[in-house]
């Protein structure tokens, strides 16, 4: 059975379009049966993090019970629910039309768009049936992979005929018949099977080199903003406003820049132009204050001195 999100749509894809199937309906027994796709890492549900990685897919299908997500997707379930990953993959493929499909699990906190593009590039370059990530121990990760859709459909049909259905079949029954190319990536292939994995992922995301990008991504998801901006430019503006005017001017100025860009209904270019204007104003403000400050050794004005002019 299938369910469409009320806002589901097919996004414009890259030059060679692809679809995405995200398997998000597992039992998460090692997490005590918790709703694993909804567990937050870096302030965002794991499912939303994976959906961001395949954001340019023409169609994204999530195999799970429908739930709110940061971007529109199509929903479906395997029959019967809980029939396993092979049955879930087959249910998702029904709703895809592109020649290539990215297949992902919903518990990959460090998966990003660059890795998805690498998988698709490897698939195109090698002519293989699929390209999958391998983890830190060189193990295949078939749920972080790009496949040729027609090949998957053919093998799934053969499996169903040989086993009187797909219920309960392990993924290796499917991937064992495919010609696969492997892309090593210990970080992007890291998945969250246990609470220790969750804790490790949360700690890594808060490391100094990642925390700012993670925070910005989380804020954009929370506010429903899909806009790439030059964070370095905004940070420079905040610094200039704090130094040249007053510390509280930094957050207020960046807010006003965002408001001005939104009011104009424009994208990153509008943010950059508003930031440029505000930065120039902060510089003029600082220069004016410097010019007004008493020069070293200059006599202080008498309280009763008349105004000039």
């Amino acid at each position: 059975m299938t369910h469409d999100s009320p806002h589901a749509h097919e996004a414009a894809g890259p030059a060679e379009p692809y679809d995405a199937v995200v398997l998000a309906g597992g039992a998460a027994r090692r997490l005590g049966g918790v709703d694993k796709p909804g567990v937050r890492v870096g302030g965002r549900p794991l499912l939303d993090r994976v959906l961001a990685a395949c954001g340019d897919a023409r169609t994204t299908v999530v195999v799970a019970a429908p739930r709110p997500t940061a971007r529109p997707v199509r929903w479906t379930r395997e029959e019967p629910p809980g029939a396993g990953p092979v049955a879930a993959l087959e249910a998702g493929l029904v709703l895809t039309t592109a020649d290539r499909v990215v297949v992902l699990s919903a518990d990959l906190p460090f998966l990003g768009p660059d890795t998805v593009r690498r998988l698709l590039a490897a698939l195109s370059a090698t002519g293989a049936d699929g390209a999958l990530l391998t983890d830190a121990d060189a193990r295949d990760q078939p749920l972080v992979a790009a496949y040729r859709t027609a090949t998957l459909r053919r093998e799934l049909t053969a499996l169903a005929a040989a086993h009187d259905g797909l219920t309960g079949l392990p993924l290796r029954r499917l991937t064992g018949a495919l010609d696969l190319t492997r892309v090593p990536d210990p970080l992007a292939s890291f998945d969250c099977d246990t609470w220790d994995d969750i804790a490790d992922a949360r700690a890594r995301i808060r490391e100094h080199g990642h925390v700012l990008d993670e925070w910005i991504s989380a804020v954009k998801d929370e506010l429903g903003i899909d806009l790439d901006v030059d964070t370095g430019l905004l940070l420079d503006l905040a610094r200039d406003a704090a130094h040249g005017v007053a510390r509280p001017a930094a957050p207020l100025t960046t807010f006003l820049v965002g408001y001005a860009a939104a009011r104009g209904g424009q994208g990153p270019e509008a943010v950059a132009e508003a930031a440029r204007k505000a930065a120039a104003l902060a510089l003029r403000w600082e220069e004016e204050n410097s010019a007004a400050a008493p020069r070293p050794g200059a006599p202080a004005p008498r309280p009763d001195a008349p105004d000039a002019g």
Side-chain angles (χ1 to χ4, degrees), residues 204-212:
R204 289 196 201 187
I205 277 174
R206 284 166 172 76
E207 291 174 357
H208 179 70
H210 307 288
V211 67
L212 186 58

Side-chain angles (χ1 to χ4, degrees), residues 216 220 225-234 261 267-272:
I216 295 299
K220 290 198 294 186
I225 298 171
D226 184 16
L227 178 68
D228 290 326
V229 297
D230 187 342
T231 54
L233 182 68
L234 292 177
E269 297 80 8
V271 176

Side-chain angles (χ1 to χ4, degrees), residues 23-287:
L23 306 189
R29 293 182 181 88
R30 296 171 69 184
L31 288 173
V34 73
D35 173 30
K36 182 163 66 169
V39 172
R40 292 180 177 268
V41 173
R44 293 188 289 162
L46 284 169
L47 176 57
D48 280 343
R49 300 182 70 89
V50 172
L51 292 178
C54 58
D56 58 353
R58 189 170 68 182
T59 298
T60 299
V61 183
V62 180
V63 186
R67 69 179 65 208
T69 51
R71 72 175 181 87
V73 298
R74 301 192 71 183
W75 297 95
T76 191
R77 289 303 305 267
E78 71 277 19
E79 291 288 354
V86 177
L89 175 55
E90 191 274 338
L93 282 180
V94 170
L95 299 180
T96 64
T97 57
D99 292 337
R100 305 177 302 166
V101 60
V102 170
V103 177
L104 305 169
S105 61
D107 61 352
L108 302 164
F110 303 112
L111 183 69
D114 288 348
T115 301
V116 171
R117 286 191 285 266
R118 285 172 57 214
L119 288 168
L120 290 166
L123 180 65
S124 297
T126 61
D129 297 327
L132 51 74
L133 290 194
T134 56
D135 64 15
D137 297 318
R139 294 174 300 195
D140 288 353
Q141 299 298 314
L143 294 183
V144 201
Y147 298 100
R148 300 191 187 280
T149 309
T151 302
L152 282 186
R153 289 196 173 112
R154 183 188 69 231
E155 294 301 326
L156 286 167
T157 298
L159 277 177
H163 298 274
D164 194 24
L166 300 174
T167 298
L169 292 182
L171 273 171
R172 63 178 177 274
R173 289 289 182 89
L174 173 64
T175 57
L178 302 179
D179 174 25
L180 301 173
T181 187
R182 289 158 176 85
V183 179
D185 195 328
L187 184 62
S189 62
F190 180 91
D191 57 0
C192 293
D193 289 328
T194 68
W195 285 114
D196 284 344
D197 293 337
I198 296 289
D200 187 16
R202 287 171 171 168
R204 289 196 201 187
I205 277 174
R206 284 166 172 76
E207 291 174 357
H208 179 70
H210 307 288
V211 67
L212 186 58
D213 287 341
E214 288 291 343
W215 170 247
I216 295 299
S217 296
V219 171
K220 290 198 294 186
D221 272 5
E222 192 71 17
L223 300 180
I225 298 171
D226 184 16
L227 178 68
D228 290 326
V229 297
D230 187 342
T231 54
L233 182 68
L234 292 177
L235 287 172
D236 288 345
L237 169 61
R239 179 202 61 208
D240 292 343
H243 176 73
V245 184
R247 289 181 64 86
L252 294 173
T253 303
T254 52
F255 164 77
L256 291 172
V257 164
Y259 180 80
R263 187 178 60 179
Q266 302 176 48
E269 297 80 8
V271 176
E273 176 62 14
R276 184 193 64 77
K277 290 180 177 179
L281 175 61
L283 180 60
R284 294 197 303 271
W285 184 285
E286 182 181 15
E287 290 174 346

